[in-house]
Amino acid sequence: MFKTKIGLALTMFGLAAMAAPVLAAEGLVVYSARNEQLIKPLFDAYTKETGTPIQFITDKEGPLLARLKAEGAKTAADLLITVDAGNLWQAARDGVLAKIDSKILNANIPAHLRDPDDRWFGLSIRARTLVYNSKRVSPAQLSSYEDLADPKWKGRLCLRTSKKVYNQSLTAMLIAHLGEAQTEKIVRGWVANLATDVFADDTKLMEAMAAGQCDVGIVNTYYYGRLMKKQPGLPLALFWPNQNDRGVHVNISGAGVTAHAKHPAQAVKFLEWLSSEQAQNLFADRDLEYPVNPRVKPHPYVAAWGSFKQDTINVAQSGALQAKAVMLMDRAGYK
Ligand code: FE
């Protein structure tokens, strides 16, 4: 069913691309690495409010970026929506995103959650924090990402694979704060403390932890939320690390206007609307993420996990230091 939908969307897009001059005046075209379920309600709300129709295709970020590059000036895409600052950083470096000067975006989105060169903008916050088995660990035993390298956690740590960009971004941020030598020590410590092989995703990690395979790990909070909604009785809890120093590692989902957008002014307006108080909950709540706009409260279900101090280093660092992070994790034996 899902594949058919993508197929259909691509076919429709193909037609749209051929008829671009006709459709050009009618609305926006979005390439999205976020799935239809998450973005369609937003697009519908915007169309209802402004009359601007939005066409879109969804795919993984790799193929979307390749497509944008291949299409060059001919692209019909006005906007790119994707997750992880590392991916947005790459898109900007590849020259497919336009520089935007918007007072509204600058006012709605904290500086550390957007490109210092104004080519992409965070629209939701994704916190990567500690999770622990609440039957076997008390929060008083936890403190920081670094502390998970301490021998007291030997045989008690679960980690997701280093191949996932989330862990590459986390490691990149550690490098930015602590330097390479110190970060390598920490990552080696994590590897030495592993209870079992690395996991393919955060959910499998938490299921293993609930089953008693390990006591502590690192996950994105929305996976915790999804799992706990289904199985509220699991002995799992979140912990906000590094609250006495730099804060919790955060990443974003976000968007940029394409370098060859056919409707750049309309595209900026849409981006501004996405960052507004009226749209932020629509964007963040469905996936249990946090709004980027500080004037907007998270969904009550998410707010119940408590508030936390977040790391305010610019998320662009996760892109800039990604290659170094990948090499470091490889050297440290983090699979
Ligand atoms: Fe995810």
Side-chain angles (χ1 to χ4, degrees), residues 34 83 126 128 160 164 166 202 220 222-223 226 287 289:
R34 307 221 74 183
V83 296
R126 303 147 71 86
R128 193 154 186 78
R160 182 179 185 158
K164 184 66 188 179
Y166 303 160
D202 287 7
N220 282 5
Y222 56 89
Y223 291 111
R226 283 182 212 168
D287 196 37
E289 296 174 16

Side-chain angles (χ1 to χ4, degrees), residues 275-291:
S275 74
S276 72
E277 282 162 79
Q278 123 200 54
Q280 274 282 286
N281 283 115
L282 273 177
F283 197 92
D285 292 1
R286 197 166 272 255
D287 196 37
L288 302 174
E289 296 174 16
Y290 293 88

Side-chain angles (χ1 to χ4, degrees), residues 10-264:
L10 284 170
T11 312
M12 281 165 55
F13 176 76
L15 293 172
M18 276 188 281
V22 181
L23 289 172
E26 288 183 21
L28 292 166
V29 177
V30 178
Y31 284 7
S32 174
R34 307 221 74 183
N35 68 40
E36 182 170 346
Q37 252 182 307
L38 292 175
I39 55 168
K40 184 77 168 35
L42 277 167
F43 296 169
D44 290 345
Y46 189 69
T47 302
K48 201 173 165 198
E49 192 179 311
T50 63
T52 305
I54 299 175
Q55 290 179 293
F56 65 93
I57 58 166
T58 59
D59 203 342
K60 294 220 180 294
E61 56 270 356
L64 282 183
L65 184 54
R67 180 166 178 165
L68 271 177
K69 283 199 281 186
E71 289 171 343
K74 290 203 190 83
T75 192
D78 295 301
L79 293 129
L80 172 71
I81 297 180
T82 187
V83 296
D84 203 281
N87 293 329
L88 289 159
W89 182 88
Q90 189 62 49
R93 205 174 70 147
D94 288 347
V96 302
L97 299 179
K99 208 175 158 103
I100 293 174
D101 183 20
S102 159
K103 284 199 176 73
I104 295 176
L105 289 174
N106 292 347
N108 286 348
I109 306 170
H112 67 289
L113 303 173
R114 50 185 158 87
D115 180 17
D117 292 324
D118 301 316
R119 295 160 301 179
W120 47 261
F121 300 84
L123 294 171
S124 68
I125 295 173
R126 303 147 71 86
R128 193 154 186 78
T129 195
L130 305 193
V131 62
Y132 63 96
N133 184 315
S134 51
K135 281 192 183 148
R136 296 155 66 125
V137 175
S138 93
Q141 293 171 272
L142 298 164
S143 59
S144 64
Y145 301 99
E146 295 92 308
D147 175 66
L148 299 183
D150 189 283
K152 74 178 180 226
W153 298 110
K154 193 159 184 68
R156 301 173 70 188
L157 176 66
C158 274
L159 288 178
R160 182 179 185 158
T161 172
S162 68
K163 307 291 181 286
K164 184 66 188 179
V165 69
Y166 303 160
N167 284 331
Q168 295 168 6
S169 292
L170 171 64
T171 304
M173 292 305 212
L174 288 174
I175 294 174
H177 283 293
L178 308 170
E180 273 196 82
Q182 187 59 26
T183 303
E184 186 167 336
K185 256 194 212 164
I186 294 161
V187 175
R188 282 184 186 279
W190 290 350
V191 172
N193 286 342
L194 285 178
T196 182
D197 288 344
V198 295
F199 291 86
D201 62 57
D202 287 7
T203 306
K204 288 197 179 80
L205 184 160
M206 284 183 285
E207 285 166 350
M209 185 179 291
Q213 252 193 301
C214 53
D215 295 343
V216 62
I218 303 172
V219 293
N220 282 5
T221 57
Y222 56 89
Y223 291 111
Y224 171 81
R226 283 182 212 168
L227 183 64
M228 295 305 278
K229 270 196 162 182
K230 272 190 246 165
Q231 300 180 66
L234 291 180
L236 298 173
L238 294 176
F239 180 84
W240 305 118
N242 298 84
Q243 293 303 283
N244 298 324
D245 45 74
R246 63 185 184 274
V248 172
H249 169 60
V250 294
N251 209 312
I252 54 170
S253 75
V257 174
T258 63
H260 299 287
K262 303 300 179 282
H263 316 92

